[in-house]
Amino acid sequence: MALLTVEHLTMKFGGLVAVNDFDLALEKNEIVGLIGPNGAGKTTVFNMIAGYYTPTEGAIRFQGSSIAGQKANRITKAGIARTFQNIRLFSELSVIENVMIGYHCRIRSTFLGATLRFPLYRREEKMMVEGAMNLLREVGLEDVAREMSTSLPYGKQRRLEIARALATGPQLLLLDEPAAGMNANETQDLLQLILKLRKDYNLTVFLIEHDMKFVMEICERLKVLDYGTTIAEGTPHEIQNNPRVIEAYLGEVQRA
Amino acid sequence: MDPNHLRNQILSIAGTVVLLALLYVANTQGSDYTIRILNNIAIFIILAVSYNLINGVTGQFSLAPNAFVAIGSYTSALLTLTPMEKEISFIIEPCIWPLSVITLPFIVSLVAAGVVAALLALLMGFPVFRTRGDYLAIVTLGFGEVVRVIANNTQSITNGPLGLKGIADFTNIWWAWGFAIITVFLIGRMIRSSYGMAMKAVKFDQAAAEAVGINTYWHKMLAFTTSAFFQGVGGGLLAHLITTISPVLFTFFLTFNLLIIIVAGGLGSTTGAIIAAILFTWGGEALRFVEEPMDLGFIDIPGIPGMRMVIFSVILVLIMIFARQGLMGTREFNWNWVCRKLGIGGRS
C-alpha cells in the first residue's frame, strides 16, 4: 500500500484555480520530485499535504487515514515533516535548540512535570539533547551546536532545517527547494546527504526543486505541474524528452 | 548539560538566602515606608514576570493583565473578609450567599485568586487566540475593560464603585517576597523547559512552529493561563497590602505600567522584568518630588499631579527610539557570565 495517496486534489483561491485535480501515490522509500515553472502550484500542493491549506476538493491519505484539512501540527505528529522555501528557523534560539524543539511534540511530560523537572522530564530532556546532537552530527553541524542559528551560512541553515524536520520523527519528508541558492558543490553535498538520510531513517522524500541537474540525479520519479495541472509524470529520462514539459518551460515551438 | 550546573545551583540558593537575610534586616530596621516600597516591588515583580511570559516569551501582545489582577484582588479579598465586615461594606445591596458567610485563610484565598484568574484566562483564551497581533491586542484590551465594568456593576458581589474596605493587611514582606521568589523560580523553570522553547518558537515563527509539531494554540493558552494565575495571586497580595480596593485601581493604567516595565526590561527577559520592576517601583517613589510644588527661587511651580507618568512615558518613548531591546534584550542573568566577569574560572 502506498504511504501517501493524493486524489483529485484541488485548491481554489476565489476564482483562481491554483491546483487542479492533482493525483499522487508515494511508495515507501521513494524519492519523488515535483517540478514546474514559477507559479505552477507546487508549494500549494505542499501546503495542502502539510496541513497549511484545506483543499477545496480531493482526498489526502497518509498510511491509510485521511489527513486532508487537519492542522499542520497534527500532520507533523502523524509523520510528515517539511522544510520551507524561504528558510524559517527560530532566529533567537541556538542551533541545537532549533533541533531539540522538534522533539517537543513527542515528549510525554506535562508542563508541570517539565517545570518541576520530574524524573520523566529529566530523562526526556537528556533524550532531546542527545537526539539533537546525533542529528546535528548526521548533517555535519555538530561543531556549531551552541551558535545562534541565524549566524550560520545559508547552506548550513538549510541543513539545520532538515535536521529540525527529522527531529519530529517523520516517515515522509517534504523538501521545498532544498538546493535553492546553493552552489554546485553544496548541491552535490546536499544530494549525498538526502540519500544518506533516506537510508538511515528509512524515509520517503517528496521534493520541489528548480535545479534540474539535482532533480534528475536524485529523483526516481517526477511530476510536472503547469498552471495547477499535471502535464507529465514519469522517470527523469521520460520527463526530459517530453514535448509538453519542454513547451511549458521554454514556450511553444514555432513551426515555420 | 552544563558542567557548572551544581555550582550554579548552589550559587542560586546562596543568593536567595542572602536576599532573605537582607529582607530580614530591612523588615526589622527599615521604616514602614521602606517596607511598603519593598512589598510593592515584590508584587510588581510577580506581575511583570508573569506578564512577560505571555507578551515577551510567547510574543502574544495581551493587554489584559489588569483584568486578572482585578479578579485576583476581588477573589482573595472577598474570601478573607469576615461576614461582619461584608455586612458593613455592602450598604446598597447585601453581599450574595455564599460569599456573605465565607471566611478563609489568607493562603487559601491567594491560591483561589490565582485559580479564578486562570479559569477566566482559559475562557478568554478561546476567542482571543483566534486572533493575532494587533487584533489580539485590541480584543484583550476589550476584555480588560469588560472585567472592570463588571466589577463596577455587580453591586452584590463586588460592592460596585464603592469597592471593598477593611481588608486585613495580611501581606507582609515574607508573603510578598515569598511569592515573588516562587513566581520567578517557577516561571523561569517553565521558560527553560521545552515548553518554554516551544513558546519562543511560537513567537519567532508560528508557521515553522506548527511544522515541528507544536500546537501553537495550546501553547499560547498555557502561557496565558499560567501568566493569569500569577497575576491573580499578585492581585490578592496587592488587595491585602492596600486593604481597600475599587474598580478604578484596575483600569488600563495598570496594564500600561506593566507594559512599560516589561518593555524597558527587555521583552522576553525575566531578568529584565525583575530589574525594571524594581527601578519602576522605586523610581515612582523617588520621583514623587516632581509632583510637589517647587520653589526654584525665581519661579514658583505648582504641583502637577501625574507628572511622574509623563516622565515614565518619555522614558518609554526614548527606549522605543534608542534602545528597542530594553535593558536586557532577551538575555537572562546567569552565573556562568558572572563568574567569568569576576575571573572565577569554571569548567566550560
Side-chain angles (χ1 to χ4, degrees):
Chain A
M1 191 187 66
L3 182 72
L4 180 88
T5 22
V6 171
E7 281 164 353
H8 307 301
L9 201 62
T10 300
M11 185 77 219
K12 292 179 187 161
F13 296 107
L16 176 83
V17 184
V19 174
N20 189 21
D21 205 13
F22 181 81
D23 288 310
L24 174 74
L26 292 179
E27 299 296 332
K28 203 138 186 44
N29 266 327
E30 267 191 310
I31 299 186
V32 177
L34 182 61
I35 60 171
N38 286 326
K42 304 181 295 294
T43 300
T44 308
V45 169
F46 262 38
N47 281 339
M48 283 189 281
I49 297 174
Y52 285 83
Y53 295 152
T54 303
T56 319
E57 281 165 47
I60 307 171
R61 301 180 74 78
F62 181 65
Q63 293 181 311
S65 51
S66 171
I67 56 164
Q70 281 204 19
K71 281 193 172 167
N73 59 297
R74 303 265 324 250
I75 290 178
T76 305
K77 266 180 131 168
I80 302 180
R82 73 170 296 179
T83 64
F84 293 89
Q85 193 174 341
N86 45 339
I87 303 173
R88 304 181 85 148
L89 294 169
F90 302 119
S91 49
E92 281 177 47
L93 297 183
S94 68
V95 168
I96 190 168
E97 283 173 326
N98 263 282
V99 183
M100 278 169 70
I101 220 163
Y103 288 94
H104 177 65
C105 70
R106 289 196 276 161
I107 67 169
R108 287 183 296 131
S109 294
T110 63
F111 70 95
L112 275 177
T115 302
L116 300 173
R117 298 182 64 80
F118 286 161
L120 174 66
Y121 178 73
R122 286 173 191 235
R123 279 201 303 278
E124 285 181 327
E125 192 183 49
K126 194 156 172 267
M127 181 274 288
M128 288 167 93
V129 174
E130 282 167 4
M133 227 28 225
N134 278 336
L135 278 173
L136 287 177
R137 213 166 289 131
E138 192 93 47
V139 299
L141 293 175
E142 73 271 28
D143 49 333
V144 290
R146 298 280 160 200
E147 280 176 36
M148 279 291 151
S149 57
T150 40
S151 70
L152 295 184
Y154 190 81
K156 287 188 174 177
Q157 290 195 13
R158 285 253 173 238
R159 284 164 172 265
L160 176 55
E161 214 189 10
I162 293 175
R164 184 180 71 182
L166 285 177
T168 65
Q171 304 193 19
L172 171 60
L173 190 59
L174 306 176
L175 301 173
D176 197 346
E177 299 198 20
M182 287 188 174
N183 65 31
N185 282 335
E186 286 173 326
T187 308
Q188 208 31 245
D189 289 347
L190 179 73
L191 196 144
Q192 297 307 326
L193 175 68
I194 294 174
L195 290 174
K196 185 175 77 138
L197 293 177
R198 165 171 74 163
K199 199 162 127 265
D200 294 355
Y201 294 89
N202 201 17
L203 288 172
T204 308
V205 181
F206 187 42
L207 59 89
I208 295 174
E209 187 48 67
H210 281 297
D211 184 329
M212 284 305 142
K213 188 168 168 289
F214 175 81
V215 171
M216 298 299 163
E217 215 174 319
I218 198 170
C219 294
E220 285 135 12
R221 271 195 308 135
L222 286 175
K223 297 203 65 127
V224 190
L225 272 185
D226 190 25
Y227 293 111
T229 314
T230 311
I231 57 168
E233 56 181 303
T235 62
H237 183 74
E238 286 164 0
I239 296 295
Q240 271 170 318
N241 299 310
N242 186 314
R244 285 195 68 189
V245 177
I246 296 169
E247 192 184 303
Y249 270 93
L250 301 175
E252 203 175 335
V253 183
Q254 296 286 326
R255 294 211 169 81
Chain B
M1 214 159 69
D2 187 341
N4 298 316
H5 185 66
L6 185 66
R7 180 202 68 189
N8 294 348
Q9 241 171 5
I10 293 168
L11 282 172
S12 294
I13 293 168
T16 313
V17 171
V18 170
L19 173 67
L20 291 174
L22 287 175
L23 289 173
Y24 176 78
V25 173
N27 201 27
T28 46
Q29 311 289 321
S31 63
D32 283 353
Y33 181 63
T34 314
I35 293 169
R36 179 62 176 260
I37 294 177
L38 283 171
N39 285 335
N40 273 336
I41 287 177
I43 290 171
F44 267 89
I45 287 176
I46 295 172
L47 299 183
V49 167
S50 53
Y51 190 32
N52 181 54
L53 181 67
I54 181 72
N55 269 35
V57 176
T58 321
Q60 305 301 307
F61 200 76
S62 157
L63 292 175
N66 58 331
F68 303 127
V69 180
I71 294 281
S73 286
Y74 274 102
T75 305
S76 74
L78 282 167
L79 289 178
T80 60
L81 279 173
T82 60
M84 210 175 59
E85 281 163 332
K86 280 175 201 162
E87 218 169 296
I88 298 169
S89 288
F90 285 69
I91 47 173
I92 297 178
E93 274 179 55
C95 186
I96 55 158
W97 189 88
L99 283 178
S100 55
V101 292
I102 286 180
T103 305
L104 292 172
F106 184 41
I107 178 74
V108 178
S109 83
L110 285 180
V111 173
V115 169
V116 173
L119 284 177
L120 178 83
L122 204 62
L123 282 177
M124 259 168 79
F126 285 108
V128 161
F129 291 121
R130 293 178 161 271
T131 61
R132 287 189 201 179
D134 303 348
Y135 302 101
L136 185 134
I138 293 166
V139 174
T140 49
L141 176 68
F143 271 113
E145 266 318 87
V146 166
V147 167
R148 192 182 60 81
V149 171
I150 289 176
N152 236 334
N153 289 286
T154 47
Q155 197 76 45
S156 57
I157 300 173
T158 63
N159 203 21
L162 293 176
L164 300 174
K165 290 178 194 66
I167 306 165
D169 57 347
F170 288 134
T171 301
N172 58 26
I173 214 158
W174 304 119
W175 283 110
W177 281 91
F179 271 103
I181 291 168
I182 291 171
T183 306
V184 171
F185 176 75
L186 288 181
I187 291 188
R189 274 276 183 94
M190 182 180 255
I191 293 172
R192 278 198 305 277
S193 79
S194 68
Y195 283 87
M197 244 191 307
M199 287 170 189
K200 288 181 195 166
V202 172
K203 166 169 125 179
F204 296 137
D205 192 327
Q206 191 157 324
E210 278 165 12
V212 292
I214 293 168
N215 186 340
T216 53
Y217 191 75
W218 193 85
H219 279 84
K220 288 177 196 171
M221 279 288 221
L222 175 63
F224 195 51
T225 314
T226 309
S227 155
F229 177 86
F230 288 105
Q231 276 158 6
V233 173
L237 288 167
L238 189 68
H240 291 86
L241 180 69
I242 53 185
T243 67
T244 305
I245 56 171
S246 65
V248 288
L249 261 177
F250 308 107
T251 58
F252 178 68
F253 202 62
L254 175 62
T255 297
F256 181 67
N257 284 345
L258 291 174
L259 197 59
I260 291 181
I261 291 176
I262 61 169
V263 171
L267 274 176
S269 168
T270 304
T271 315
I274 296 170
I275 296 173
I278 295 170
L279 290 178
F280 181 88
T281 317
W282 170 78
E285 292 303 321
L287 283 174
R288 243 175 223 292
F289 73 93
V290 300
E291 294 187 1
E292 280 158 15
M294 269 181 276
D295 181 8
L296 299 180
F298 56 96
I299 184 169
D300 258 339
I301 305 172
I304 312 165
M307 194 61 198
R308 283 181 297 165
M309 266 338 282
V310 175
I311 293 179
F312 281 130
S313 304
V314 169
I315 292 174
L316 184 63
V317 170
L318 291 177
I319 289 172
M320 291 318 339
I321 296 173
F322 296 110
R324 303 199 59 176
Q325 294 293 304
L327 285 172
M328 295 294 289
T330 51
R331 279 164 304 181
E332 295 290 355
F333 173 85
N334 84 57
W335 288 112
N336 289 349
W337 182 86
V338 174
C339 291
R340 258 201 318 280
K341 285 288 159 189
L342 293 175
I344 309 162
R347 283 164 290 169
S348 58

